[in-house]
Amino acid sequence: MTDRPAASDIELDSRVARGKRVLMYAAFAMLLFFLLSLLNFVLAGGRMGLRDTARWDETVAWPFIPLPAFLVIAAGIAAAVGVFMAVPYFRHDTADDLVLMGGVSIVLFGFMSLFFAGVYTSTVGISTGFDSYPEQGLGWHWIAAVIQVPAVVALAVRGASLYRAHRNRLSQNEA
């Protein structure tokens, strides 16, 4: 009788681990994209984007290696898929992974993709109305941030339901 719950817990843990693994692969891709941006920053004389000014002599014009939006969007999709792979299988004792996935989704895939959208501008992106480069709008990288919204909502709903179930269990044990 005790083997059955333990076996199902192991299966649930492995499903959560698979989803977390997919999210972490996508996070590694975002780390590589950030390192690419740092390389561009150094080579472009401390310049981060077309609107920024050089702080030292430029080796090459910004960006030396452009970051296509579809790569950031693909990483964002992979991260959301990883979250949705894990969400149904979280238990109270794996809630720390739920919080980790939420934080990574918000910070790395939310804020960083918005950063990339502002730095790697596009002539076909959303117009920002800046004077220095009016033809340059936000790059399409921001789509990766929008993709994270349903994933973060799913994590919040699952976290709230786990908290409610845990609180009810504690109140029943006290009675």
Side-chain angles (χ1 to χ4, degrees), residues 6 17 20 30 68 125 127 132 144 148 156 174:
K20 193 167 76 169
M30 289 295 277
S127 177
S132 57
Q148 298 311 305
E174 289 176 1

Side-chain angles (χ1 to χ4, degrees), residues 9 12-13 89-97 162 166 169:
D9 287 350
L12 293 176
D13 287 346
Y89 305 107
F90 280 115
R91 297 184 328 272
H92 181 264
D93 57 339
T94 57
D96 55 341
D97 288 335
L162 287 173
H166 180 67
R169 193 174 330 127

Side-chain angles (χ1 to χ4, degrees), residues 83-84 101-102 105-106 147-157:
V83 166
F84 284 115
M101 291 178 99
S105 292
I106 291 169
I147 292 169
Q148 298 311 305
V149 172
V152 171
V153 168
L155 286 168
V157 167

Side-chain angles (χ1 to χ4, degrees), residues 156-170:
V157 167
R158 181 64 178 163
S161 68
L162 287 173
Y163 174 73
R164 189 177 312 118
H166 180 67
R167 192 181 66 213
N168 289 341
R169 193 174 330 127
L170 288 177

Side-chain angles (χ1 to χ4, degrees), residues 55-103:
R55 291 167 183 79
W56 58 82
D57 292 335
E58 292 180 276
T59 307
V60 295
W62 171 268
F64 175 60
I65 303 171
L67 177 61
F70 76 88
L71 292 176
V72 176
I73 294 168
I77 291 170
V81 166
V83 166
F84 284 115
M85 286 173 63
V87 161
Y89 305 107
F90 280 115
R91 297 184 328 272
H92 181 264
D93 57 339
T94 57
D96 55 341
D97 288 335
L98 184 140
V99 173
L100 169 79
M101 291 178 99

